[in-house]
Amino acid sequence: MIERTLLSETEIGTRLDELAKEIDERYAGQEILAVGILKGSVFFLTDLLKRLKTPVAVDFLQVRSYSGTSSTGNIQMVHDLSTDIEGRHVLLFEDVVDTGLTLRKILELFSSRHPASLRIAALLKKDIPENRDLSLDFVGFTIGPEFVIGYGLDLDEKYRNLPYVAVWRPEK
Ligand code: 5GP
């Protein structure tokens, strides 16, 4: 069901090298608390953190927002952090920013917990009007509005382990 490969393993790796450098520069002299939004961001987060020189701690949270290939519009906390983020430099990892609803909700919640700083690293950002006002600090790739799979991104829990990102072709 793959229409075409959008980002190869090599392209992703090269971009992660660049992002790691940007992040190291931005956090010079600080320690990062990397927060992965489960489950999609896990591949991005681990591959990126392995490239960082900045000291880093890791935590995860899980929210539910999607069913199949369309947004439900609802965000539900499934699993919260095990770490207190107050006074920490939090870097949130998101696999793909679509409407931005997930991030907006998480940003709102996290801001109320008083981190020293709160930034976002997104592997993919869809180029759509809904997310234009959302400021992202580190973006891997800007893509079109298509539904994508692979490199952490699933369709009903399948395809996450593809080493590349592909455009999914719906059954006609
Ligand atoms: P948003 O809240 O920004 O609309 O959606 C964010 C979440 O929806 C992502 O973390 C991801 O889980 C899911 N999502 C959005 N677009 C896609 C896509 O093209 N493919 C996959 N597999 N998931 C997506």
Side-chain angles (χ1 to χ4, degrees), residues 37-41 63 65-75 93-104 124 126 128 130-131 134 143-150 152-156 158 160 166 168:
I37 305 173
L38 293 171
K39 303 172 191 172
S41 73
V63 292
S65 65
Y66 252 69
S67 166
T69 59
S70 62
S71 176
T72 61
N74 286 323
I75 306 293
F93 282 75
E94 172 71 308
D95 50 4
V96 53
V97 181
D98 187 13
T99 63
L101 198 72
T102 310
L103 272 178
R104 271 184 246 275
L124 309 174
K126 293 194 185 177
I128 55 168
E130 288 87 334
N131 65 30
L134 197 61
I143 63 169
E146 314 96 328
F147 190 82
V148 288
I149 52 168
L153 292 151
D154 74 314
L155 173 59
D156 293 333
K158 289 199 286 273
R160 282 195 204 279
W168 183 73

Side-chain angles (χ1 to χ4, degrees), residues 23-94:
I23 293 173
D24 275 333
E25 279 166 19
R26 184 75 67 92
Y27 288 92
Q30 296 176 337
E31 189 174 322
I32 298 171
L33 173 62
V35 172
I37 305 173
L38 293 171
K39 303 172 191 172
S41 73
V42 168
F43 292 66
F44 171 43
L45 177 142
T46 53
D47 283 350
L48 187 81
L49 294 195
K50 281 184 274 181
R51 289 165 160 88
L52 283 189
K53 297 193 176 71
T54 310
V56 64
V58 184
D59 203 350
F60 294 96
L61 87 161
Q62 187 169 13
V63 292
R64 192 174 292 138
S65 65
Y66 252 69
S67 166
T69 59
S70 62
S71 176
T72 61
N74 286 323
I75 306 293
Q76 193 192 340
M77 178 71 76
V78 178
H79 174 80
D80 203 346
L81 297 179
S82 59
T83 317
D84 184 1
I85 66 170
E86 187 170 345
R88 314 280 297 270
H89 294 287
V90 176
L91 180 56
L92 265 173
F93 282 75
E94 172 71 308

